[in-house]
Amino acid sequence: MVTIENDCFSISQICESGQCFRLDPVSENIYELIAADRYLEIEIQRGEDGREKTVFSCTQEEYSRFWKIYFDLDASYSDYIKQIDGKDDYLKAAAEFGRGIRILRQDIWEMILTFILSQQNNIPRIKKLIRVLSEKYGEERKTPEGKKYFAFPTARSLAAASEEELRSLKLGYRSRYICKTAKQVAEEEINLTELSEMSYKDAREELMKLSGVGGKVADCICLFALHQMDAFPVDTHIRQVLDVHYADGFPFDRYKGCAGVMQQYIFYYDLKGGGEK
């Protein structure tokens, strides 16, 4: 077990932030997370001083080698918040409302498939589709305690599936995109390893060569997998906020290197009803 304290880290907020779809509550204070082929149970506790603590069900070595990096726990998100313009009341309120959100460092193939599925979809349905795909095409694994779970399906395993098979799982028109994209990745038309070495602009352009990946989906992949912190995905929620609060344009120059963090604060604030409609 590994216990951490951090006033800019909230599993419940991350769970509802729209960037991770295999993180789920199993009880009031316990969450489970499957990332690629790993399983983690997370418990939220309150110390005697009233401060929230997070307990990871893993060894110190696994925490240091994987989960600490995954949750971006070396970065100071309080420093990001301090960069917010003191006159920007909306963004200050959004950051305070969602101050426990972090930009996760997720697997790139998982994010490609996830955000293709996210198009014209809602969070509960995206979660269901990922679960169905993982159970059918992912490898079965077990925790040391014997709990069964499924690894995320590889590009090769999905490349072998037909469009008709995927449609039978209720993926709809996205089935065509997934079939073609899985083949592109499995046959290395797009080298995923090389993407992590590219600039944000070049990675975005390369990702858009994949079937079903437009600008918004490419930005999500850049932000939530490649950790390109200048990526700023614009969906309906974000567009409405920009139109109302940033009619003259969002101040990207001020937030160079952390614009994606600000996007998540805005998205979560609007999604959860904290901001004005």
Side-chain angles (χ1 to χ4, degrees):
M1 299 290 183
V2 176
T3 301
I4 66 166
E5 291 185 11
N6 197 308
D7 66 350
C8 288
F9 181 67
S10 168
I11 286 296
S12 61
Q13 290 187 348
I14 292 170
C15 181
E16 298 178 336
S17 67
Q19 60 174 309
C20 179
F21 297 91
R22 303 193 83 192
L23 173 62
D24 295 290
V26 294
S27 67
E28 184 178 357
N29 296 313
I30 297 178
Y31 290 75
E32 64 177 9
L33 169 62
I34 303 171
D37 62 351
R38 295 173 183 260
Y39 175 90
L40 180 69
E41 187 172 277
I42 306 161
E43 182 177 1
I44 301 169
Q45 298 180 348
R46 288 276 178 189
E48 293 182 1
D49 58 0
R51 295 190 63 182
E52 188 175 281
K53 298 180 180 180
T54 304
V55 181
F56 296 97
S57 63
C58 64
T59 64
Q60 182 66 51
E61 180 183 7
E62 184 180 4
Y63 169 76
S64 299
R65 292 172 62 89
F66 187 82
W67 296 114
K68 186 178 183 180
I69 299 167
Y70 179 90
F71 285 111
D72 201 27
L73 287 168
D74 275 333
S76 173
Y77 280 64
S78 60
D79 285 346
Y80 293 144
I81 293 172
K82 289 175 184 176
Q83 293 183 44
I84 296 174
D85 186 345
K87 298 178 182 178
D88 190 337
D89 292 334
Y90 180 85
L91 190 51
K92 286 193 298 180
E96 183 58 33
F97 187 82
R99 66 181 292 113
I101 293 172
R102 286 177 173 257
I103 306 299
L104 306 182
R105 294 177 178 269
Q106 300 180 82
D107 177 76
I108 186 167
W109 165 243
E110 186 170 337
M111 290 299 94
I112 289 170
L113 186 59
T114 292
F115 283 99
I116 288 176
L117 289 173
S118 76
Q119 298 175 76
Q120 297 183 327
N121 225 334
N122 57 57
I123 290 175
R125 181 163 167 74
I126 298 165
K127 285 176 174 281
K128 181 180 179 181
L129 293 176
I130 291 172
R131 183 172 65 252
V132 168
L133 279 171
S134 297
E135 289 175 357
K136 186 168 180 63
Y137 297 104
E139 289 187 10
E140 182 178 318
R141 301 289 174 88
K142 286 186 177 180
T143 69
E145 296 74 31
K147 181 180 177 64
K148 182 172 71 173
Y149 67 97
F150 291 88
F152 197 81
T154 64
R156 193 169 296 279
S157 67
L158 286 175
S162 68
E163 184 178 335
E164 291 71 24
E165 288 174 352
L166 296 180
R167 285 186 177 273
S168 72
L169 300 178
K170 311 298 184 186
L171 271 64
Y173 71 89
R174 305 170 194 86
S175 304
R176 181 174 70 256
Y177 298 146
I178 291 169
C179 278
K180 187 171 180 182
T181 291
K183 288 183 172 65
Q184 287 177 283
V185 173
E187 295 169 4
E188 296 189 348
E189 289 182 30
I190 300 290
N191 188 311
L192 301 189
T193 302
E194 291 178 355
L195 286 171
S196 62
E197 300 170 0
M198 293 182 183
S199 67
Y200 163 47
K201 179 178 178 293
D202 289 344
R204 188 177 191 271
E205 289 180 1
E206 191 72 6
L207 284 165
M208 289 174 66
K209 295 177 182 178
L210 294 170
S211 180
V213 177
K216 184 258 180 178
V217 169
D219 278 333
C220 289
I221 299 164
C222 283
L223 184 58
F224 304 133
L226 298 176
H227 216 67
Q228 293 281 4
M229 301 290 264
D230 284 323
F232 193 92
V234 177
D235 68 349
T236 302
H237 290 278
I238 299 297
R239 174 52 58 201
Q240 290 175 346
V241 170
L242 294 180
D243 288 345
V244 172
H245 296 280
Y246 301 96
D248 294 330
F250 187 78
F252 288 103
D253 288 345
R254 182 183 183 94
Y255 301 112
K256 190 168 181 59
C258 63
V261 179
M262 304 305 153
Q263 187 271 0
Q264 276 288 275
Y265 291 148
I266 293 170
F267 177 85
Y268 182 76
Y269 192 45
D270 188 73
L271 180 70
K272 302 301 290 183
E276 297 177 8
K277 295 293 183 182

